[in-house]
């Protein structure tokens, strides 16, 4: 049924805006308060603590005896799989050639490396002892190592990580965990209770609720947040139209 | 009744001041969640490379390199285009030398930078619209630590720019229109229009006001949507009557449907 009456349809529009605003408020208010609350938290939080690096220390490098360095030709010939890069790195003060077999665009992308002793040419696997020692060398707290685990993605402390990591847990008041890349021995990072606390707020802000898909995705490109973002935008827009209308009608009076 | 009336007053007045930021938050937030972050970071513009080092192409060793450049740090054997090269840091500056004879190749010139940009670009037959060497005062999207750098603009959808370091000959960063918009959206989302940092006083003040204004809004939602029974007991507000008559109208409409 069509209603060509202009006046009527205009009235209808304004009351629709108001009624939309009212009903949208019911749909989005919970998440809106979560967004505002977590937003305030990000504004006020201690950004140094949020990094999880309370007990991190810089790795020290030692002088190496370059006369003893193996020729890279030999290393390439001895390698089973082709390498696109060889980097001279240090692990626990010892020089190693890090062979890159596959490398993603970023360091957390799926990659494959091997580590070769730069003096002897022996292939070095990052085993549990090596991982513990590497983690210990980056840790300046007083805690002892509680456990060392090889973890596969998804890894709660580093959700974007796509590679297998060694997780070295320390006994300290912050429950520090140190992560070491299992194929390169590179220090991926530290995490602790402070960082996990901030991560929880990010989970809320990004609506990355693990209850919905079993595990958090670590991102904000998903249908739930997209849906709520659009609803919230409509909610704000109807509110703005309402405000403008109140202004036009002269309902903002200081008395 | 006073709670209802005061809530309406404060919601109305506070939103006059922070309502626009609500639009900015929801619009910028919607843009950021709808745009795929990997696309935003320009990952789809970068070509996948697969090159492997051939032993016979590496005539110059790490040992020779350290004998000649004793202060070299972060030494890396890799590729520049199809040539095997060493990259390393020397007094905080990147240097490239040939892996064939150790000859220094950096800084690179314009034509080489253009070649490297093309090799890294995912779309073949890309047309380059401009090439520029930036040595000081980088644009907003580029960190000073990347200088000196060649900026290569492609004549393509979303106007991508690749930044190739003049010293390392590597793609250091990239931008395109949708990423540039994303950066502005983030700046407006956190109300820091210069450093894009969320810990600023303006954001704090506006968020607190927005929070208070929203609480009054929630009170209004309660009064407007709670059963009419509640409202009748709360007094004779003109608008309550209006909303009651509206709910009667709705009920009537529902009946006719």
């Amino acid at each position: 049924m069509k209603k060509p009456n202009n006046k009527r349809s205009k009235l209808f529009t304004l009351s629709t805006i108001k009624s939309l605003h009212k009903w949208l408020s019911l749909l989005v208010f919970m998440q809106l308060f979560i967004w505002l609350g977590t937003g305030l938290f990000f504004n006020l939080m201690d950004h140094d603590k949020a990094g999880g690096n309370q007990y991190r220390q810089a790795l020290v490098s030692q002088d190496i005896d370059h006369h003893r360095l193996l020729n890279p030709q030999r290393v390439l010939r001895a390698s089973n799989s082709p390498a696109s890069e060889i980097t001279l790195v240090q692990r626990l003060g010892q020089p190693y050639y890090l062979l890159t077999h596959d490398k993603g665009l970023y360091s957390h992308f799926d990659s494959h490396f091997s580590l070769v002793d730069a003096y002897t040419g022996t292939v070095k696997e990052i085993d549990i002892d090596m991982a513990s020692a590497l983690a210990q060398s980056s840790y300046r707290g007083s805690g002892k190592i509680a456990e060392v685990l090889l973890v596969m993605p998804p890894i709660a402390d580093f959700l974007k990580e796509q590679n297998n990591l060694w997780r070295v847990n320390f006994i300290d008041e912050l429950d520090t965990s140190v992560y070491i890349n299992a194929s390169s021995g590179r220090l991926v990072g530290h995490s602790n209770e402070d960082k996990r606390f901030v991560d929880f707020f990010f989970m809320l802000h990004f609506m990355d609720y693990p209850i919905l898909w079993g595990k958090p995705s670590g991102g904000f490109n998903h249908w739930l947040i997209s849906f709520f973002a659009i609803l919230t935008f409509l909610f704000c827009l109807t509110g703005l139209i309402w405000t403008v209308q109140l202004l036009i009608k002269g309902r903002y009076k200081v008395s | 009744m006073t709670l209802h009336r005061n809530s309406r007053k404060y919601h109305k007045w506070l939103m006059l001041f922070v309502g626009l930021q609500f639009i900015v938050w929801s619009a910028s937030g919607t843009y950021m969640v709808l745009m795929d972050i990997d696309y935003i970071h320009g990952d789809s513009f970068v070509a996948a490379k697969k090159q492997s080092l051939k032993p016979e192409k590496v005539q110059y060793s790490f040992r020779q390199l350290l004998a000649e450049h004793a202060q070299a740090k972060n030494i890396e054997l890799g590729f520049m285009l199809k040539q095997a090269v060493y990259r390393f840091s020397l007094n905080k500056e990147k240097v490239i030398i040939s892996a064939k004879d150790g000859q220094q190749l950096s800084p690179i010139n314009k034509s080489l930078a253009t070649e490297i940009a093309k090799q890294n670009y995912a779309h073949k037959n890309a047309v380059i619209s401009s090439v520029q060497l930036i040595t000081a005062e980088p644009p907003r999207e580029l960190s000073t630590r990347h200088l000196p750098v060649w900026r290569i603009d492609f004549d393509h959808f979303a106007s991508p720019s690749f930044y190739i370091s003049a010293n390392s000959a590597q793609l250091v960063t990239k931008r395109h229109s949708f990423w540039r918009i994303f950066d502005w959206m983030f700046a407006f989302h956190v109300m820091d229009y210069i450093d894009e940092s969320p810990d600023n006083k303006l954001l704090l003040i506006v968020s607190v006001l927005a929070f208070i204004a929203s609480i009054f809004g929630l009170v209004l939602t309660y009064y407007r949507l709670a059963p009419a029974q509640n409202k009748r007991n709360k007094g004779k507000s003109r608008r309550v009557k209006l909303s009651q008559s509206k709910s009667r109208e709705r009920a009537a409409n529902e009946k006719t449907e």
Side-chain angles (χ1 to χ4, degrees):
Chain A
M1 207 167 69
K2 272 188 180 174
K3 282 179 187 168
N5 190 324
N6 212 8
K7 209 176 165 188
R8 245 190 107 97
S9 74
K10 202 173 177 183
L11 258 172
F12 176 74
T13 315
L14 284 176
S15 67
T16 312
I17 294 288
K18 290 180 181 180
S19 146
L20 259 175
H21 192 72
K22 189 172 70 185
W23 287 105
L24 284 168
S25 76
L26 193 65
L27 286 173
V28 302
F29 82 89
M30 289 264 273
Q31 186 57 39
L32 194 73
F33 280 110
I34 292 176
W35 276 328
L36 285 167
T38 51
L40 257 174
F41 174 80
F42 298 140
N43 181 270
L44 294 169
M45 73 181 182
D46 184 338
H47 287 261
D48 293 328
K49 275 189 178 178
N53 294 321
Q54 200 86 338
Y55 290 131
R56 185 166 168 168
Q57 65 178 9
L59 299 167
V60 275
S61 37
Q62 308 288 332
D63 284 335
I64 53 167
D65 179 8
H66 67 262
H67 298 288
R68 287 173 64 196
L69 288 176
L70 276 185
N71 195 311
Q73 285 186 330
R74 253 184 78 180
V75 178
L76 282 169
R77 289 206 178 94
S79 170
N80 294 327
S81 51
S84 58
E85 273 170 35
I86 300 180
T87 314
L88 182 60
V89 297
Q90 287 201 9
R91 299 287 181 254
L92 306 171
Q94 287 297 306
Y96 288 93
Y97 285 129
L98 179 69
L99 274 67
T100 307
H101 304 300
D102 270 307
K103 191 161 124 179
L105 197 50
Y106 306 107
S107 63
H108 62 266
F109 280 19
D110 192 21
S111 303
H112 297 280
F113 301 99
S114 50
L115 209 54
V116 176
D117 190 309
Y119 291 155
T120 64
T122 347
V123 176
K124 179 77 190 172
E125 298 286 340
I126 307 293
D127 55 16
I128 192 161
D129 296 327
M130 180 83 171
S132 314
L134 284 166
Q136 188 70 63
S137 69
S138 77
Y139 178 79
R140 63 179 175 86
S142 54
K144 295 265 172 293
I145 293 174
E147 55 176 348
V148 187
L149 297 160
L150 185 64
V151 289
M152 274 173 274
I155 296 158
D157 279 339
F158 290 93
L159 283 169
K160 300 272 183 199
E161 183 63 52
Q162 296 172 12
N163 298 289
N164 292 353
L165 306 179
W166 283 103
R167 178 168 73 208
V168 183
N169 293 334
F170 285 84
I171 307 168
D172 57 28
E173 79 286 2
L174 290 172
D175 283 336
T176 305
S177 296
V178 179
Y179 290 86
I180 305 288
N181 184 301
S183 74
S184 72
R186 181 180 63 88
L187 174 69
V188 174
H190 282 209
S191 184
N192 59 30
E193 281 309 295
D194 289 336
K195 180 176 177 290
R196 289 176 199 122
F197 188 65
V198 175
D199 284 348
F200 175 74
F201 281 81
F202 273 108
M203 184 271 284
L204 290 175
H205 202 78
F206 295 161
M207 298 185 78
D208 194 12
Y209 302 124
I211 202 161
L212 292 168
W213 20 76
K215 60 184 172 69
S217 65
F220 47 75
N221 294 130
H222 54 81
W223 66 268
L224 182 72
I225 196 166
S226 304
F227 178 69
F228 269 84
I230 292 165
L231 284 187
T232 307
F233 177 65
L234 288 175
F235 176 51
C236 296
L237 197 65
T238 49
L240 183 76
I241 294 169
W242 197 339
T243 310
V244 169
Q245 189 231 341
L246 287 176
L247 273 171
I248 291 169
K249 280 173 135 185
R251 292 275 283 282
Y252 276 102
K253 273 182 292 192
V254 191
S255 54
Chain B
M1 189 51 231
T2 44
L3 178 62
H4 187 185
R5 186 172 292 165
N6 284 340
S7 297
R8 191 185 306 125
K9 187 169 91 188
Y10 294 133
H11 188 68
K12 188 179 88 174
W13 276 100
L14 283 169
M15 282 304 180
L16 186 64
F17 298 104
V18 298
L20 210 58
Q21 185 56 32
F22 266 99
I23 291 279
V24 171
W25 275 328
S26 59
S28 57
T30 304
Y31 179 86
M32 291 191 282
V33 300
L34 289 182
M35 299 300 279
D36 180 68
I37 192 68
D38 297 329
Y39 174 74
I40 287 298
H41 284 156
D43 298 354
S44 54
F45 289 93
V46 183
K49 282 183 289 184
K50 189 74 194 163
Q51 282 172 294
S52 17
L53 290 164
K54 301 273 179 303
E56 60 276 13
K57 293 280 168 70
V58 186
Q59 302 291 336
Y60 188 82
S61 68
F62 284 84
R63 187 170 42 207
Q64 283 166 288
L65 192 154
L66 278 165
E68 266 183 61
H69 311 275
Q71 297 304 312
K73 294 268 179 296
N74 310 317
I75 312 166
E76 192 184 293
L77 172 61
F79 284 97
M80 181 173 75
L81 294 175
K82 284 177 177 158
Q83 189 182 357
V85 296
Y86 283 98
R87 290 186 174 85
F88 54 90
S89 318
L90 201 60
N91 308 322
K92 295 192 173 162
E93 215 161 73
K94 284 272 179 189
V95 180
I96 309 175
I97 61 170
S98 162
K100 214 176 104 194
D101 50 17
Q103 200 194 339
Q104 185 164 341
L105 303 172
S106 60
I108 57 165
N109 63 22
K110 184 176 175 175
S111 64
L112 195 53
T114 314
E115 268 315 292
I116 293 164
K118 274 186 175 171
Q119 186 210 27
N120 278 285
Y121 196 62
H123 305 275
K124 292 300 147 203
N125 315 319
V127 181
I128 285 164
S129 56
S130 72
V131 182
Q132 182 197 355
L133 179 67
I134 303 169
T135 51
E137 287 172 35
R140 184 189 169 91
E141 63 198 41
L142 184 73
S143 157
T144 34
R145 74 194 150 93
H146 293 315
L147 296 179
V149 72
W150 287 97
R151 173 180 172 149
I152 289 97
D153 292 329
F154 291 94
D155 184 12
H156 201 256
F157 176 69
S159 344
S161 305
F162 273 19
Y163 291 94
I164 308 288
S165 162
N167 287 337
S168 81
Q170 279 170 317
L171 175 65
V172 284
T173 191
K174 52 210 177 297
R175 282 294 187 282
H176 57 91
S177 306
F178 296 101
W179 192 351
R180 293 180 181 116
I181 297 170
F182 191 97
D183 284 347
W184 278 111
M185 290 289 177
F186 186 76
F188 277 90
H189 203 76
V190 300
M191 302 189 84
D192 186 335
Y193 313 99
I194 298 150
D195 301 324
E196 293 165 22
S197 160
D199 54 346
N200 63 80
K201 286 279 176 291
L202 178 66
L203 181 64
L204 177 67
I205 293 162
V206 176
S207 309
V208 170
L209 289 178
F211 202 92
I212 298 167
S214 302
I215 291 194
F216 288 124
L218 184 63
V219 173
L220 292 178
T221 300
Y222 167 75
Y223 278 112
R224 290 201 174 253
L225 296 175
Q229 206 79 46
N230 275 344
K231 291 170 191 159
R232 205 169 294 141
N233 303 335
K234 301 266 155 85
K236 283 174 190 157
S237 156
R238 195 178 63 83
R239 235 154 300 169
V240 171
K241 271 197 263 173
L242 204 79
S243 82
Q244 277 172 352
S245 72
K246 245 189 265 164
S247 61
R248 273 198 295 275
E249 203 177 275
R250 250 201 310 277
N253 281 344
E254 272 165 16
K255 259 181 214 165
T256 52
E257 276 167 27

